[in-house]
Structures are given as structure tokens and as C-alpha cells.
Amino acid sequence: MSTDRRGPNLLGRIVSPVIGAVDPDAVLSRVDVNDLIDRLDLDAVFDRVDVDGVIQRIDIDALIQRVDIDALVQRVDIDALVQRVDIDALVQRVDVDAFVQRIDIDGIVKRVRVRELIGGQASEISSRSLDSARRVVTRVDTAVLRPADKVMRHEAEATTTQPPLAGPISRLAAWGIDSFVISLSFGGAVAVTGYLVELLSKRTVDPTRADSLWWFAAGTAWAGLYLFLAWFLTQRTVGMAVLGIRLAKGDGTAVGARRAFVRVIVFPFSFVFGLGFIGLVFGRRRRALHDVAAGTVVLTDVALTPQAEAVTTF
């Protein structure tokens, strides 16, 4: 037992003076670090490292939580970073042609539906403009008829009639449009007919050299046919459709062929000295001579709000 206890004490007495006598700085100064690194086989060292095991042992969540993002962002010098970016070189490296070629223009146009968008906007603008024009004409009608209603003392009946009756200005404007449509369509029909006659019979057709009375009769018949078909089939002509007015029987229902025919026959007589149109201004039901003969009235689909009627003055 005594031998065992003396052993370590004796070894310590021998080793301690040796360690104390060693100068670590002198030892390290004599170590050739470069030679040591050169002799180190880094490839062999990395081969022995288990990268997957190292990664699995890293706690990513804990690592991210320990990163101070705000402090990191504050230490970034944005101005210096931007100044170091060579914008010109970056733009020059962008292949604009290749970029444009990769854009599907047709697909974009189809998805945007530009034509439908423009068509819808144009249609909406046209509709609003037409409605505004109709209201203006209706206000003028109201202004023109108010004094006549007061003189004839039937203002209350005229304002409470439902649906509202069309005034003389609306009907006059509609007839102006219809006159243009009749003239244009008759001229087109004469041109087409003359071309066909010349093509088939090789005879020259010159309306200016023909009997004017014959052409007047033909034009009158054309106008009568236009009015009859429009009043009978659709209850309104082109001009009436533009102004928002329509033809109806006294009870507001659609007219038949007989009433439309009678109205066409009597219609020219209303123009004799303009006497046939007096009822449009002073009559309770705003009926002209041809309206009385056919038992018809002309109604308007344009309704003015009380605010719009209030600002209408004469």
C-alpha cells in the first residue's frame, strides 16, 4: 500500500519540474504553421465530416430567433449599396427583344376584350346622349304647351294623362327625321331600279328628264308605304323611335292595319294650311286631324322628373 502511494507522488515530483521548465511561447515559435497546414489533408478531413448529421443537429428555428433582423437591416447601408449597382450595365444586359417576343400580345388582347370594352362605352355614351336630347325636346314641349293649357283650361287633365302624350315639338322633330329617311331611301330605290333597268334593257334611266308629276306620285306612294308599314308593324317610324314616341289607340294599345291605313290617307290633308295640326297645341289629347280620323294618339316614353319639370320655363 505504501508503494502505491509513493508512486504517483514520485512521478509528480519528476514531471512537474519538467513542465515548469518548458516555455510554451518558445515551443510555438518553433512550430512551422505553414508547413503544418501544407501537410494537412483538408480533403480527407472534409470527407470524414458528416455534413447531413451536422445540418440535422442545427436548430434552424433557434438560430433564426437569435438573429436580430432590425439590427441587421440598420447596419445595411442602402445608399452605398444602390450606388454600387451599375444601372447602365444592368439595362444593357436585358434582352428587350427576347422579352417582348415572350409576351403573348394576342392572349392579352383577348383577355382584355378591348373591342367589347370600347363598344360598350360607345353604346353607353350614345344612349346617354340620346336620352338627354329626348329630355330637352320634352322640356321644350312642356314649355310650349303650358300657356295653351292655361288658356284652354285643361292643364290638369293634360298633366295627369298616363302615359304622357307627345307634344308638337317632339312630333315635328320626328317627322323631320322621317322626311330625311324617306328621301334617302327613295333615292336609293330609284338608283337601284334605274341600274337594273339599264342592265337588263340597256335603256338609259334619267329621273331628271322624266315627268315631275310621275316622280312626285311615286315619291308620295313610297312615303305612304313607309309610314303604313312602320305604324302597323312597329307602332313607330325611325324618327319616332329616335325621339322616344310611339303610336297607339286611345286606350294605349297597338293600332291595327285599318287604323294605320286611315292615318296614312288623311295624313297629307293635315298639311293644308297647317290647320290639321292645331289640335296638337290646343287639343286635350294632342291629336292632329289624321289622329282624330284614325282614332289614335301619340305617346311618349320620356318622363321628366318633378325637378326637371320645375326648371322648365317659357
Side-chain angles (χ1 to χ4, degrees):
M1 296 294 294
S2 59
T3 305
D4 295 336
R5 291 177 180 178
R6 292 177 180 178
N9 293 334
L10 180 61
L11 181 62
R13 291 176 182 177
I14 298 174
V15 172
S16 296
V18 175
I19 295 176
V22 174
D23 186 359
D25 295 332
V27 174
L28 292 176
S29 63
R30 297 183 64 182
V31 175
D32 188 354
V33 178
N34 295 327
D35 181 65
L36 183 63
I37 293 175
D38 291 338
R39 297 180 64 182
L40 182 63
D41 189 354
L42 295 179
D43 294 333
V45 173
F46 286 132
D47 290 340
R48 298 184 64 182
V49 175
D50 186 0
V51 179
D52 295 334
V54 174
I55 293 176
Q56 290 178 358
R57 296 184 64 181
I58 296 175
D59 189 350
I60 302 296
D61 296 331
L63 182 63
I64 293 176
Q65 290 177 359
R66 297 184 64 180
V67 175
D68 189 350
I69 303 297
D70 296 332
L72 183 63
V73 172
Q74 290 177 0
R75 296 185 64 181
V76 176
D77 189 350
I78 303 297
D79 295 333
L81 182 64
V82 171
Q83 291 177 359
R84 296 185 64 181
V85 175
D86 190 351
I87 303 297
D88 295 334
L90 184 63
V91 171
Q92 290 177 359
R93 295 184 65 181
V94 176
D95 190 350
V96 179
D97 295 334
F99 179 73
V100 172
Q101 290 177 359
R102 296 183 65 180
I103 298 176
D104 187 2
I105 303 297
D106 295 335
I108 295 176
V109 171
K110 290 180 180 179
R111 296 184 65 181
V112 175
R113 298 181 179 178
V114 176
R115 295 180 180 178
E116 295 180 5
L117 180 62
I118 295 176
Q121 292 293 333
S123 177
E124 183 178 358
I125 293 174
S126 301
S127 177
R128 291 182 178 178
S129 301
L130 185 58
D131 290 339
S132 299
R134 289 173 176 174
R135 292 191 181 93
V136 170
V137 175
T138 304
R139 292 191 186 100
V140 175
D141 270 333
T142 303
V144 170
L145 293 174
R146 181 175 290 116
D149 289 336
K150 290 182 179 180
V151 171
M152 301 304 296
R153 297 181 179 180
H154 53 70
E155 182 177 6
E157 182 178 348
T159 55
T160 57
T161 302
Q162 295 295 333
L165 298 167
I169 305 302
S170 300
R171 295 179 63 169
L172 179 63
W175 173 243
I177 297 175
D178 287 330
S179 299
F180 175 77
V181 173
I182 291 172
S183 301
L184 186 64
S185 60
F186 181 68
V190 170
V192 173
T193 303
Y195 173 77
L196 293 176
V197 170
E198 293 179 1
L199 182 64
L200 298 176
S201 64
K202 296 184 180 180
R203 294 177 56 185
T204 302
V205 178
D206 188 359
T208 60
R209 296 182 181 179
D211 188 0
S212 58
L213 182 61
W214 188 91
W215 284 111
F216 175 78
T220 303
W222 180 270
L225 180 64
Y226 165 81
L227 294 175
F228 171 76
L229 294 176
W231 288 337
F232 169 56
L233 297 178
T234 63
Q235 312 300 304
R236 64 184 71 196
T237 60
V238 174
M240 295 173 70
V242 172
L243 272 296
I245 59 179
R246 58 188 173 87
L247 184 66
K249 294 192 295 186
D251 58 359
T253 57
V255 301
R258 184 182 66 82
R259 293 178 186 270
F261 181 76
V262 172
R263 202 170 191 271
V264 170
I265 297 301
V266 183
F267 184 70
F269 295 97
S270 297
F271 288 90
V272 178
F273 303 110
L275 298 177
F277 296 103
I278 294 178
L280 294 179
V281 179
F282 297 100
R284 285 186 175 87
R285 308 196 67 187
R286 314 299 182 199
R287 297 200 298 176
L289 177 62
H290 49 281
D291 289 315
V292 176
T296 59
V297 293
V298 178
L299 307 176
T300 178
D301 297 328
V302 181
L304 293 178
T305 61
Q307 294 80 1
E309 292 181 350
V311 299
T312 304
T313 58
F314 179 69

